[in-house]
Amino acid sequence: MLPTPTALAERAAEVIAEHAREAVAARGEFYLALSGGSTPRLMLAALAERDDMPWRATDVFQVDERVAPDGHAERNASMLQEVLLDRVKPGGFYPMPVTEPDVDDAVDRYVATMESVCGVPPVFDVIHLGLGADGHMASLVPGDPALDVADRDVVMTGEYQGRRRMTLTRPVLERARALLWVIAGESKQSVLQQLLLGDDSIPAGRVSNEHAIVLADDAAFGS
């Protein structure tokens, strides 16, 4: 447990930097996939300030993205670019191509990009996830067919909170060398306990990864 969202963000940034250094020492590159949201903004701001983060050997992908124009305030990519623009190496950020007219082709191209960078099948060193109050992670939400996809690494979802999404699927989440959950706020108390118990009645409880790391603040734990 971490006492505040700021402490949570700093610890999460520390964990990412630790895994990054280990990956670069072992393989020369670090493959990172990031979610959006307010808690990640704090985490990424803390990460951007770390001098021990090997940015020049880091490739950054997205966990999920809303279908919206480039630069739109609801786009996760907008936040990632704003916070990390000065740190990510040139060409090292791979935004999901959600503005393409043919979304099926866009999904296939993003998978191809992941494979060209992270191997076949793509394996990320760290995938960062948040946890929704309804138990969703990435854009794998209750009742959406994307949650049951077992043979594709990226799919389009149905409409959720007003927009369709592009998202990584359970198979690629479960292949990650580390799955980093970063969870904050009182609204997450119930679903956090379900996650920790592996309750498969919520989407997050259906992800199996023996290398999962769960970080949460006191409010999420109910302390």
Side-chain angles (χ1 to χ4, degrees), residues 133 135 189-202 204-205:
Q189 289 180 14
S190 175
V191 287
L192 173 56
Q193 293 307 311
Q194 289 175 281
L195 171 66
L196 295 174
L197 291 171
D199 182 349
D200 63 8
S201 70
I202 62 170

Side-chain angles (χ1 to χ4, degrees), residues 5 8 39 183-189 217-222:
L8 172 65
T39 300
I183 304 163
E186 292 182 7
S187 65
K188 310 299 175 60
Q189 289 180 14
D217 65 4
D218 286 352
F221 268 108

Side-chain angles (χ1 to χ4, degrees), residues 1-2 27 52 71 85 92 96-98 116 127 130 164-165 175 178 180 203 210 214 217:
M1 293 182 294
L2 286 305
R27 294 177 298 279
D52 58 350
L85 182 63
M96 286 181 159
V98 293
S116 70
I127 296 179
R164 295 189 71 196
R165 319 289 182 99
R175 284 198 304 269
L180 177 62
E210 63 180 1
V214 180
D217 65 4

Side-chain angles (χ1 to χ4, degrees), residues 33-57:
L34 295 168
S35 299
S38 57
T39 300
R41 177 181 284 273
L42 289 174
M43 178 190 77
L44 295 175
L47 188 64
E49 294 177 355
R50 296 189 68 93
D51 293 331
D52 58 350
M53 177 67 191
W55 286 113
R56 296 303 167 184

